[in-house]
Amino acid sequence: MTAGGGERPGADAGDDVREAGRERRPAAASAEARAQLEVFARGAAELVVEAELLERIEAHLSGRRGPLRVKAGFDPTRPDLHLGHVVLLQKMRQIQDLGHHIVFVVGDTTAMVGDPTGQNEARPRLTREAVLEAAKTYQAQCFKVLDAARTEVRYNGEWLGKMSVIDLIELSAKATLARILERDDFSKRVAEQRAVYMHELLYPLLQAYDSVALDCDLELGGTDQFFNLNVGRDLMPRYGKPPQCVLTTPLLEGLDARLENGRVIGKKMSKSADNYIGIAEPPVAMFKKAMQIDDGVVWRYFELLSSKSAAEIAALRAQATDPREPKRLFGREIVARFHGPDAAREAEAEFDRVYLKKGGVPDDVPEFEVAAADASGLWIAKALSASGLAPTTGEGKRMVSHGYVEVDGARVTDDQLRLPAGGRYLLRSGSKTRRFAYVVVSAGAGAG
């Protein structure tokens, strides 16, 4: 759901269905049907099978069938949706605006199983309580993009939670082990003699059964979902249902991505990698994160998320002289989209006040009390790591030696600096992007 094998499926009995569909030539279709197909396909990475999808669109427009049932699934492994999800949600909204029926599937059961996609080890298991808590934010936030009045929200626990042991065995009997092991992440683990657990093998089948339960015409997902979505296409005929079509959208890289030799290099945006912009984050936080995007990568964000046309983006790119200005434009657009134009203007002004003008300090600086290890006081690197301004004391030490740290407004470069007990200090870290924390140093047991 939020992840899935990106490799193309290999040969097995289900390929007879899939390949037969790929070989079909598009039937005669109206201009309106072809115009709708263009909207479906615009910006898509993969579309299986175009001819089948066109036929279903034409059948709907001619009155021979109802709107297409189009679904996408999201495993709520952590609270809050981010811009990576929005790439897919945008495509759902485009299809929704054509008059088709959108089903937003919350994977409350599949999230507990754990999607193995791209994992070198089994994912940590989640409790039902944690999943349902995260699901609350998904259901609320998806309507920042989708039309709530025209969206069907379903939890896959409705059908997966009711499966008996016999039902699960019957589902497992409809796929081969060889087919499931074609997934690149599984084959790599087997080759490296890493464990592949039985519940992980079941995940693609459980996700695929969502399409059976919902009678889908089309399933959407990121490119890393291509394998899982095609398992659903294979599975449906084995339950006597027409195979769904499959459409994938590109994955958005995270804030830590960089442009190298003309290519965007980096992990996909995710909460686990802490490289995301959440759509429910405060305006200033969203704008600040937009300004952290790599100068070259920001155009990828424009292409996948901006409402500007391709021609407008190309013109902006050709005219850009200050690398910060495109990021400002993107930051204003994305904040305005989720919080309104007034909030976008205020967020930019606050960013400039706090992070660009010397001496600017945010109003919501967190405060931490940290005990000194001995009478010499609290080591600056320890203060940075304890307050979250550095991930480790080693990184904190490096930041100080490179001049990336200020204490009470003064830059420090002595990586052995001690902060005396009894004081309250304003720490700032970072070069381009400033982060702040107050640290109150208390006398520890060994400081007397």
Side-chain angles (χ1 to χ4, degrees):
M1 300 219 154
T2 49
E7 65 280 1
R8 291 179 179 273
D12 78 347
D15 286 342
D16 296 338
V17 175
R18 186 166 51 255
E19 294 304 329
R22 282 180 175 154
E23 290 168 3
R24 292 167 57 184
R25 297 293 181 264
S30 65
E32 186 179 1
R34 291 189 178 280
Q36 282 210 6
L37 180 66
E38 183 179 340
V39 175
F40 275 78
R42 187 181 303 144
E46 301 275 357
L47 175 54
V48 180
V49 174
E50 183 175 303
E52 291 180 14
L53 184 58
L54 181 60
E55 287 178 3
R56 296 183 193 196
I57 295 171
E58 179 63 41
H60 165 59
L61 293 175
S62 65
R64 289 181 282 119
R65 59 156 294 160
L68 274 63
R69 288 182 61 80
V70 180
K71 70 105 161 167
F74 299 81
D75 281 357
T77 53
R78 296 192 183 192
D80 299 324
L81 296 172
H82 54 65
L83 293 187
H85 296 117
V86 172
V87 176
L88 182 57
L89 289 168
Q90 282 182 156
K91 178 57 64 178
M92 296 168 71
R93 179 57 188 259
Q94 291 169 8
I95 295 171
Q96 189 174 56
D97 287 344
L98 293 174
H100 298 291
H101 186 76
I102 293 295
V103 185
F104 184 96
V105 180
V106 180
D108 57 322
T109 295
T110 43
M112 292 173 64
V113 175
D115 190 342
T117 303
Q119 301 297 305
N120 291 326
E121 304 288 348
R123 284 182 181 271
R125 303 296 302 283
L126 300 174
T127 65
R128 182 164 186 78
E129 291 72 23
V131 169
L132 291 178
E133 188 63 30
K136 292 178 184 177
T137 62
Y138 276 41
Q139 186 170 344
Q141 293 170 15
C142 72
F143 297 129
K144 291 178 177 288
V145 180
L146 300 176
D147 183 343
R150 296 183 290 156
T151 303
E152 179 182 354
V153 178
R154 302 292 292 274
Y155 284 65
N156 63 14
E158 294 176 38
W159 47 89
L160 296 181
K162 296 176 182 177
M163 276 190 168
S164 67
V165 173
I166 298 301
D167 293 333
L168 188 58
I169 291 173
E170 181 64 26
L171 174 61
S172 302
K174 297 186 186 299
T176 66
L177 179 60
R179 173 79 168 92
I180 300 300
L181 287 178
E182 287 169 6
R183 287 175 58 124
D184 185 57
D185 38 16
F186 285 161
S187 60
K188 283 182 179 178
R189 279 204 250 166
V190 170
E192 296 170 0
Q193 298 185 336
R194 293 176 178 267
V196 177
Y197 293 90
M198 292 299 295
H199 74 281
E200 296 181 282
L201 301 178
L202 288 173
Y203 184 92
L205 289 173
L206 294 173
Q207 178 178 325
Y209 192 79
D210 291 352
S211 297
V212 175
L214 293 168
D215 289 314
C216 290
D217 291 296
L218 174 68
E219 183 172 12
L220 308 181
T223 52
D224 61 347
Q225 283 294 297
F226 193 72
F227 182 95
N228 284 349
L229 273 54
N230 275 286
V231 172
R233 177 172 168 82
D234 292 345
L235 188 66
M236 293 179 75
R238 294 169 182 170
Y239 280 91
K241 301 188 177 188
Q244 68 181 10
C245 297
V246 166
L247 186 151
T248 62
T249 56
L251 297 178
L252 178 67
E253 291 79 10
L255 296 175
D256 50 359
R258 294 292 179 267
L259 191 68
E260 297 180 7
N261 300 318
R263 294 181 59 198
V264 177
I265 305 298
K267 297 179 180 178
K268 71 174 183 179
M269 183 173 286
S270 70
K271 295 184 288 293
S272 58
D274 195 24
N275 62 358
Y276 69 99
I277 300 177
I279 67 175
E281 289 191 79
V284 174
M286 292 183 73
F287 191 89
K288 174 186 171 186
K289 287 186 175 183
M291 295 300 292
Q292 295 175 21
I293 303 170
D294 182 75
D295 294 349
V297 177
V298 71
W299 301 110
R300 169 78 165 171
Y301 281 65
F302 270 108
E303 290 165 3
L304 295 182
L305 292 163
S306 176
S307 61
K308 299 182 187 300
S309 68
E312 289 173 322
I313 295 171
L316 282 174
R317 192 166 191 171
Q319 297 165 6
T321 55
D322 183 346
R324 293 172 296 182
E325 189 55 30
K327 291 186 280 191
R328 284 182 174 274
L329 288 172
F330 179 77
R332 288 198 293 267
E333 180 178 352
I334 211 67
V335 174
R337 181 172 183 176
F338 293 105
H339 295 285
D342 289 343
R345 287 190 290 270
E346 292 170 4
E348 183 175 17
E350 178 68 4
F351 175 84
D352 288 346
R353 183 185 75 80
V354 173
Y355 297 103
L356 295 185
K357 294 179 181 179
K358 187 174 181 180
V361 179
D363 297 327
D364 57 349
V365 176
E367 182 168 306
F368 302 85
E369 182 174 344
V370 186
D374 51 46
S376 66
L378 179 66
W379 182 31
I380 183 63
K382 176 64 177 177
L384 292 167
S385 66
S387 61
L389 297 184
T392 64
T393 54
E395 178 64 13
K397 181 178 177 181
R398 186 195 69 79
M399 291 165 61
V400 172
S401 63
H402 283 74
Y404 297 158
V405 175
E406 291 181 3
V407 177
D408 291 335
R411 179 175 297 179
V412 296
T413 56
D414 179 7
D415 60 23
Q416 295 303 313
L417 175 70
R418 260 53 179 180
L419 303 177
R424 180 175 183 261
Y425 306 92
L426 175 64
L427 273 57
R428 181 194 70 81
S429 70
S431 53
K432 295 181 180 179
T433 303
R434 299 180 175 189
R435 298 176 61 202
F436 296 86
Y438 286 110
V439 172
V440 176
V441 182
S442 61

